[in-house]
Amino acid sequence: MNVLWIPLFPLIAFLLLTAGRKVWSKGISALIGIIATAFSFLLSLPVLWESLAGGKTIVWKIPWFHINQQVIQFGIEAGPLNVLMLTIVSGVSFLVHLYSWGYMRKDQRINTFYAYLTLFTFSMLGLVISSNLLEIYIFWELVGVCSFLLVGFWYFKPEAKAAAKKAFIVTRIGDIGLFIAVSLLFWQVGSFELSDLKAAVANGQIEPAMITWIAILVFIGAVGKSGQFPLHTWLPDAMEGPTPVSALIHAATMVAAGVFLVANLFFLFEASETAMSVVAYTGGFTAIFAASIGLAQNDIKRVLAYSTVSQIGYMMLALGSAGYVAGVFHLMTHAFFKALLFLAAGAVIVSLHHEQDIRKMGGLWKQHRWLGIWFLTGCLAIAGIPPFSGFFSKDEILMSVYADGRQGLFSVAVIAAFFTAFYMFRLFFMVFSGSYRGEQKIEGIPRVMMIPIIVLAVLSTVAGFANTPGRLLEHWLVTGSGVASDSLHHAPGWIPVLAIAVSLLGIGLAYVMYGRKRLAPEAVVKAVPWVYQLVYRKYYIDELYQMIIVLPLKAFGWFLHGWDRFIVGGLVHLSAWFVSFLGSVGSRIQNGQAQTYALVSLIGLILLIVGLTAGRLFE
Amino acid sequence: MKVITAWLPTLITFLPLIGVPVILCLPRKQTGWHRLAAMLATLPSLLLAGYMYALFEAGQKGMQWFQSFVWFRIPIPDPQVEPWVFHYSMGADGLSMPLVLLTCIVSTLAAAASLYIKERTREYYILLLLLQTGMAGVFLSANFFLFFIFFEITLISMYFLIGIWGYLGKEKAANHFLLYNGLGSGFLLFALVGLLLLSGNLDYGVIQQNMAQLMAHPELVNGPVKTMVWAIFVSLMIAFAIKLPIFPFHSWMLRVHVEAPTPVVMIHSGILLKMGAYGLIRFGLGIYPAFMKEVATLLVILGLVNILYGAILAFVQKELKKVLAYSSVSHMGIILLGIGSLSGVGLQGAVFQAVSHGLISALLFFLVGSLYERTKTTELDELGGLAKSMPLFSGILLVAAMALLGLPGLSGFISEFFAFLGLFKVKPVMAAVGTLGLILAAVYTLRAVLKTTFGPMKQRFVKLTDIHPRETVPMLVFVGLIVLIGVYPDVLGRPMQETLELIVSRIGG
């Protein structure tokens, strides 16, 4: 049972690291994490190979606990989608574990860092191969808590503390949607098993209205985890965590879990037209919304964070437009190029003494030429320039949306592609071209950090060929899942041309503004000051939530506080008065000091007498 | 061995008292010896409770180890009426088994956590052992009169434990405690007398039968009898509503949570509140299934009020213990949801929540107590950044907080999940409203914990020492149990299922 061991290795590493908190040296701690994830990755390769070769879905289940007399199972179900995720997660996780050894080498708590990171890897691997919905929910929450722990890893920084809290609470709002969906589905189907759910949906056992409700509730969970509008606010703040964490959790794997969830439960969404529309419109809106914010941010990691939100919006848009393969394909390519961009950004940050403001960077091409090349690879991939991987997957998304017939969303997706190209190359030119604007000396980059970057750069370049021209990925995914393959042959041939054109346009504009500096960004800002402010301030969403949710809740809390103290607490005085009244009667009878407890026994006595008298009435 | 097995409930109840003469014989000054003796005195009960759990037949619906003797009789002057017979009846079923085990575990660990008690330790440990006997007796008695007596024993010993060894406002807290709980016992006593008049014998089984017969013949239930039956039901409900506590009867427990000494709060929050839940299920659902069906919606509404009211108030508290106290109000609401769902899985959730919250809150109050010993404050604004000087403490606090807010893999989640799952079957909209409480739980828990351990450290806390193994070991036992229930719920769920199904089957469709 090889698949079982894939998540178990990181779990064992976590237990070892936690138990040996004071025993392991920094190097040993890192080594435990790296070796465990390396094993996971190596074990996932033969699983991938078998599945590609047409192997069946791997199923393994054991009885777990009982609800009434019913046995709830715990198990693994690994079809093509799961195996793909398994490989991506273990692979990227291994690379990030390796990279962290360089990035975190000066941190005293590297043991804790690796412990959290391995716990995350375990949970994430568990999530992608779970065989039932309850199990998915459990791992879903566990990855959330690991994300919380790692965002707040530098717990002494107030920003990190606030960001960690926000990440947990905002995603939990989404998780409750999933929680309700799991509960409702159980009473509809009588089981948590995905296979049973699928059968129930196929048999029409669930009412259509109920399916829509449940699908939307599941999607709310995905919205929270994947940072989609309106629950996106936590993801940019989560950049307070160490950069390897941003790469692994907040770019490549966990935030893509929402996409995975929708894809995994695609049978549910397909059964409801409304739910599909909700997914498509939320995704499309988020794609352009987050991309537009990304245009004006100055923190290198925040630009990438908004880019992540936007790219995941693309994936949701694809899924909502029945582009199952396109969505999953983009998930894969994005995992590679976004992890690459984050790790490269982390290398930039390390070389600049943890400076993250791009206005204080520049000219790094001279010092770190190779890093510049790898970063450029990532930029070209995300901007969608052939033959880099992002081009192919984004192209498929555009074609799916077009084929699905929602022209408005198609235009939105095209404009967002333009934005993407622009802000990525704005970033690239600000960091690498021109001259250095910072004050501190530019440092070297540890070699251990460069290896993962190179591997990811290669993957970002070639991953697009997984589905082009052979459509290998599509055949594989579709045979295993029973989902209809994307109807791309209806899409016209001008779409890829348009996609390349808008990307080049975005790159060109960025070059003019930030590379050549022919057009001063300040002039643009001055031309439309309020638009710039709106975008720069992220459309004031945080402030809005503060005003309409946090403050009213606090005010209501303080109101209740007074109420509880004076009104409800007043009940005490009322009953105290009642007792002392009885007490004064009692003390007159007993002609002595009435201790409180005696008083209370007295009440009992009175009640006893009343009871006995009342008893006589019956006879 | 056979004798022990037959007498298990009695032994578990009274064995802690063997520690009393031992402690009395020890020199007055040797506080460490007193603690050791008390811990050792709680151990036989703990071991026997474990043994009982191992022997427990999950497939059996009724009471196991049931033992009944005539204790005393009250002859009635009227020769046509049967004399009142009071039985000494003890036993355990799927409902009491988990709670007995919880009682023994928390009692032992509370004795271990009593290392901060420095004054009048002899009296303290004697009362603590008496309290344990009271609590175990409450869960193990199979006769209402006996139940009442044990219930009163817990009240008296708690009163002194709070009043003598508490913090600054201890007298007031003890008096409030007594005031409300005294009222509660008044109602309980009224119910006792009423049931005695109706049934003549207070064994649970007999009361149940007589009441079922009465319900089966509506023509018998009229006029004064009907009033009586309802009055008993209402007073039982009020008595246990005060104990749980249900809004608006909760203000007494806030004071107790803040003022009582650490081990006593562990027991109070961990076990005593759960007597309310136990009473609602045992006597509410057990004796009055039909009535409970009528008030189920009310119970759910009260549960929702408890959940949201407690959660919102926990969110604005400035003191750590008060946050936890209001969070207890909120978590007891989940028990009400489970009971109000009247379904097997919901009830299972209620009992799970009782046990799980018992462990979690006991652990949390233990942590807060150990914190107070070092910082001499539990005001949230004065704390901060403790993860630096007390990493182990902070780690355990984080785990406990995660359990409190219902992180899967820990016991809090599975309890809430069962309770909500039960409610989603019958009242999905109300259940959905209740899930807001799960979000708020994250909000107030994280706020409190992050204010304590995260952020920049205050200068005056630089030299704090991390928790000692004497504290760490009992804390880790709690953590282990919380994880065990969370990962393998059957360990707790299997024994209770048959009993709960029997209760649900009486409610009818």
Side-chain angles (χ1 to χ4, degrees), chain B residues 52-386:
Chain B
M52 191 168 170
Y53 173 77
L55 290 183
F56 193 87
E57 284 175 43
Q60 207 169 319
K61 289 179 199 287
M63 285 268 177
Q64 304 185 28
W65 300 282
F66 183 73
Q67 253 191 336
S68 188
F69 309 105
V70 174
W71 186 8
F72 61 90
R73 297 162 197 271
I74 301 181
I76 307 288
D78 188 345
Q80 284 175 351
V81 180
E82 294 266 315
W84 290 342
V85 187
F86 291 85
H87 288 259
Y88 173 84
S89 308
M90 302 280 272
D93 62 3
L95 176 59
S96 41
M97 184 67 244
L99 292 164
V100 170
L101 206 55
L102 174 76
T103 303
C104 294
I105 292 168
V106 175
S107 298
T108 301
L109 293 174
S114 296
L115 50 132
Y116 318 123
I117 306 286
K118 304 269 160 56
E119 281 167 17
R120 297 174 69 181
T121 44
R122 279 215 297 216
E123 292 89 328
Y124 170 82
Y125 287 111
I126 289 171
L127 280 167
L128 202 65
L129 293 174
L130 188 66
L131 180 61
Q132 186 183 353
T133 293
M135 294 184 300
V138 160
F139 296 127
L140 282 168
S141 46
N143 178 294
F144 196 60
F145 183 71
L146 207 55
F147 170 87
F148 182 75
I149 295 196
F150 283 120
F151 193 86
E152 295 298 302
I153 291 178
T154 63
L155 281 193
I156 300 167
S157 36
M158 267 303 279
Y159 173 68
F160 290 112
L161 283 169
I162 300 167
I164 300 176
W165 289 276
Y167 295 105
L168 286 176
K170 57 192 176 189
E171 285 90 0
K172 207 167 176 186
N175 283 331
H176 274 205
F177 169 79
L178 197 61
L179 188 68
Y180 271 77
N181 285 278
L183 272 176
S185 349
F187 282 106
L188 210 54
L189 185 63
F190 174 77
L192 186 143
V193 174
L195 286 171
L196 193 62
L197 289 171
L198 284 177
S199 165
N201 181 330
L202 290 174
D203 272 10
Y204 296 164
V206 180
I207 301 179
Q208 217 157 47
Q209 266 177 6
N210 289 341
M211 204 54 98
Q213 267 174 10
L214 209 58
M215 291 293 141
H217 302 282
E219 69 277 4
L220 290 179
V221 188
N222 50 26
V225 180
K226 192 176 181 183
T227 319
M228 192 69 186
V229 171
W230 267 104
I232 298 170
F233 175 68
V234 171
S235 46
L236 279 173
M237 285 289 123
I238 295 179
F240 294 119
I242 293 175
K243 197 76 205 175
L244 191 59
I246 299 179
F247 172 87
F249 301 121
H250 60 277
S251 55
W252 65 273
M253 64 87 93
L254 302 174
R255 261 178 217 281
V256 173
H257 274 85
V258 175
E259 301 297 346
T262 303
V264 177
V265 189
M266 286 168 66
I267 288 180
H268 178 252
S269 181
I271 306 167
L272 291 172
L273 300 184
K274 277 68 192 181
M275 283 163 36
Y278 175 77
L280 285 176
I281 298 176
R282 171 73 76 205
F283 303 113
L285 282 174
I287 305 180
Y288 283 98
F291 284 36
M292 283 299 266
K293 205 170 163 185
E294 286 182 38
V295 298
T297 308
L298 179 68
L299 279 184
V300 172
I301 291 171
L302 286 172
L304 291 180
V305 171
N306 256 44
I307 292 178
L308 299 177
Y309 189 83
I312 293 175
L313 276 167
F315 172 57
V316 293
Q317 296 307 308
K318 291 183 164 171
E319 201 261 344
L320 196 50
K321 287 182 193 168
K322 282 197 181 147
V323 175
L324 297 180
Y326 278 110
S327 113
S328 285
V329 174
S330 186
H331 280 86
M332 293 305 99
I334 292 175
I335 293 188
L336 283 177
L337 293 192
I339 297 177
S341 78
L342 301 180
S343 63
V345 59
L347 276 187
Q348 198 178 332
V351 182
F352 258 80
Q353 177 74 350
V355 174
S356 147
H357 183 261
L359 296 168
I360 296 167
S361 66
L363 172 58
L364 277 165
F365 278 105
F366 192 2
L367 286 160
V368 174
S370 69
L371 177 71
Y372 183 84
E373 286 306 305
R374 289 166 174 81
T375 57
K376 296 293 169 206
T377 178
T378 46
E379 292 291 328
L380 288 174
D381 283 342
E382 292 175 30
L383 298 168
L386 293 178

Side-chain angles (χ1 to χ4, degrees), chain A residues 64-66 68-69 137 141 145 149 155-156 172 176 183 187 558 561 563-564 572 597 600 604 607-608 615, chain B residues 152 176 180 182 186 189 193 250-251 309 313 316-317 326 388 398 405 408 421 438 455 487 490 494 497 501:
Chain A
W64 181 16
F65 67 93
H66 294 74
N68 299 334
Q69 292 307 326
Y137 182 78
E141 290 277 289
V145 83
L149 290 169
Y155 61 87
F156 40 84
R172 181 151 249 234
I176 294 302
S183 305
W187 294 120
W558 285 115
H561 190 57
W563 155 275
D564 195 59
V572 181
Y597 190 73
V600 178
L607 287 169
L608 188 67
Chain B
E152 295 298 302
H176 274 205
Y180 271 77
L189 185 63
V193 174
H250 60 277
S251 55
Y309 189 83
L313 276 167
V316 293
Q317 296 307 308
Y326 278 110
K388 183 133 189 113
L398 198 61
L405 61 77
L421 192 63
L438 302 184
V487 174
D490 262 6
R494 267 333 247 170
Q497 259 148 357
E501 266 168 38

Side-chain angles (χ1 to χ4, degrees), chain A residues 8-223:
Chain A
L8 278 185
F9 272 113
L11 179 66
I12 293 167
F14 164 71
L15 295 174
L16 276 176
L17 287 164
T18 315
R21 199 171 64 94
K22 290 185 175 161
V23 183
W24 316 120
S25 69
K26 284 162 89 174
I28 298 281
S29 299
L31 208 59
I32 291 175
I34 294 166
I35 289 176
T37 44
F39 272 131
S40 291
F41 177 60
L42 289 176
L43 279 177
S44 71
L45 288 178
V47 176
L48 175 71
W49 183 250
E50 256 174 55
S51 183
L52 280 173
K56 285 197 189 124
T57 301
I58 302 163
V59 181
W60 173 86
K61 287 174 187 173
I62 50 163
W64 181 16
F65 67 93
H66 294 74
I67 288 181
N68 299 334
Q69 292 307 326
Q70 193 179 346
V71 180
I72 306 299
Q73 313 260 0
F74 184 91
I76 292 175
E77 199 170 308
L81 176 66
N82 313 88
V83 172
L84 177 69
M85 289 299 290
L86 204 57
T87 318
I88 295 173
V89 171
S90 58
V92 176
S93 177
F94 163 64
L95 293 174
V96 168
H97 275 75
L98 193 62
Y99 177 91
S100 301
W101 173 225
Y103 192 88
M104 301 295 288
R105 69 195 186 284
K106 285 181 187 155
D107 200 291
Q108 287 306 313
R109 291 160 62 237
I110 198 161
N111 174 296
T112 314
F113 181 79
Y114 272 99
Y116 291 166
L117 214 54
T118 47
L119 181 63
F120 169 77
T121 307
F122 156 70
S123 314
M124 191 67 210
L125 290 170
L127 172 64
V128 299
I129 54 173
S130 294
S131 74
N132 73 50
L133 213 48
L134 182 64
E135 212 180 317
I136 288 184
Y137 182 78
I138 288 177
F139 286 119
W140 184 263
E141 290 277 289
L142 285 181
V143 290
V145 83
C146 295
S147 154
F148 158 81
L149 290 169
L150 285 161
V151 171
F153 181 72
W154 288 313
Y155 61 87
F156 40 84
K157 279 165 62 184
E159 301 84 18
K161 171 181 148 185
K165 195 163 106 180
K166 190 169 173 184
F168 197 103
I169 291 168
V170 176
T171 50
R172 181 151 249 234
I173 295 172
D175 295 350
I176 294 302
L178 184 58
F179 182 87
I180 298 175
V182 173
S183 305
L184 289 177
L185 265 177
F186 181 75
W187 294 120
Q188 293 291 323
V189 181
S191 161
F192 294 116
E193 295 300 313
L194 291 174
S195 45
D196 294 344
L197 302 185
K198 201 167 177 173
V201 172
N203 297 338
Q205 198 180 321
I206 313 174
E207 273 180 53
M210 198 58 167
I211 290 190
T212 302
W213 270 108
I214 292 174
I216 290 176
L217 284 164
V218 169
F219 183 62
I220 290 175
V223 165

Side-chain angles (χ1 to χ4, degrees), chain A residues 418-490:
Chain A
F418 168 72
F419 285 170
T420 308
F422 176 79
Y423 66 66
M424 282 316 298
F425 276 86
R426 168 176 175 261
L427 197 63
F428 177 76
F429 290 124
M430 293 274 278
V431 175
F432 287 97
S433 76
S435 55
Y436 181 52
R437 295 179 292 273
E439 279 129 33
Q440 286 171 304
K441 193 172 155 284
I442 302 174
E443 297 284 333
I445 300 162
R447 193 163 300 157
V448 68
M449 288 168 66
M450 290 309 282
I451 301 165
I453 292 176
I454 296 168
V455 173
L456 285 167
V458 172
L459 284 170
S460 304
T461 313
V462 302
F465 298 106
N467 205 31
T468 322
R471 311 212 62 76
L472 174 70
L473 186 73
E474 177 165 344
H475 288 304
W476 179 46
L477 284 173
V478 167
T479 44
S481 66
V483 176
S485 61
D486 301 0
S487 48
L488 300 182
H489 39 274
H490 301 303

